[in-house]
Amino acid sequence: MEAEKIVPYIYFIKKGIVRAYASTAENDITFWFGSEGQTVISMRSYVEDKPGYENIELLEDCELYKLETESLRKLFSKDIHIANWGRKFAERELIKTEELIISRQFKTALERYKDLMRDKSDLLKRVQLGHIASYLGITQVSLSRIRGEIKW
């Protein structure tokens, strides 16, 4: 997926890791990683039918299931169980967004890295350090220093 385009699909990750990022003149800023069992969607495209702001990059060979968002909307209107799944999905995504904002505002880089180690340790083995640093909002040099400070 590319920023500034309407994406009329939702993807389900069967295998692999993807990242969502926004580009600035200086660099790319990673704000989300997805892996097996997660869903990839441009919320702005889906909710407002407007171009999304994110780029999506496959970081590994991936197997994805693809569903047209219009088909999903029809399923929501026909089946309360699927509609409830959609509502719960949106609620979980809102919580993740809140947690990311709060983390960036109130936690140190070391605390954010420790949270990542605790909550998403598989990413540390599968994703380039540059992407991890970008996700944490720090440089790769700072990430190397933090990794050196942590006692295993």
Side-chain angles (χ1 to χ4, degrees):
M1 283 191 258
E2 293 180 44
E4 302 304 320
K5 292 187 178 182
I6 296 175
V7 181
Y9 304 102
I10 182 172
Y11 299 88
F12 302 92
I13 304 170
K14 178 180 179 185
K15 177 181 168 266
I17 290 188
V18 303
R19 77 174 177 128
Y21 67 96
S23 295
T24 68
E26 295 82 35
N27 56 11
D28 294 339
I29 301 168
T30 301
F31 58 86
W32 179 81
F33 291 106
S35 59
E36 290 82 5
Q38 293 187 301
T39 306
V40 181
I41 187 170
S42 172
M43 284 300 232
R44 188 163 192 222
S45 287
Y46 177 75
V47 173
E48 297 182 329
D49 203 30
K50 292 182 180 177
Y53 47 82
E54 68 277 276
N55 295 291
I56 302 293
E57 178 183 18
L58 307 180
L59 300 179
E60 295 179 343
D61 287 337
C62 292
E63 290 182 37
L64 306 170
Y65 296 108
K66 177 178 169 181
L67 177 64
E68 290 184 9
T69 51
E70 189 54 40
S71 297
L72 183 60
R73 287 184 183 108
K74 288 177 184 175
L75 288 171
F76 286 161
S77 69
K78 292 180 180 180
D79 187 313
I80 190 68
H81 301 292
I82 295 173
N84 281 333
W85 171 85
R87 178 183 51 80
K88 295 300 276 178
F89 170 75
E91 290 169 351
R92 284 190 305 273
E93 291 304 306
L94 177 60
I95 295 296
K96 287 179 196 175
T97 301
E98 285 180 338
E99 288 173 348
L100 180 62
I101 291 168
I102 290 167
S103 174
R104 289 275 177 101
Q105 293 291 321
F106 299 107
K107 291 186 177 184
T108 67
L110 176 60
E111 290 170 325
R112 292 193 302 272
Y113 183 73
K114 285 182 176 181
D115 288 348
L116 189 64
M117 286 175 50
R118 182 190 66 232
D119 299 335
K120 299 179 182 180
S121 62
D122 64 312
L123 289 178
L124 301 175
K125 299 173 190 143
R126 298 168 69 183
V127 174
Q128 295 174 13
L129 290 180
H131 296 321
I132 297 290
S134 170
Y135 177 76
L136 295 171
I138 59 176
T139 66
Q140 197 165 341
V141 171
S142 295
L143 177 57
S144 293
R145 190 186 74 250
I146 288 169
R147 289 168 50 97
E149 290 175 10
I150 294 179
K151 306 272 192 248
W152 295 94

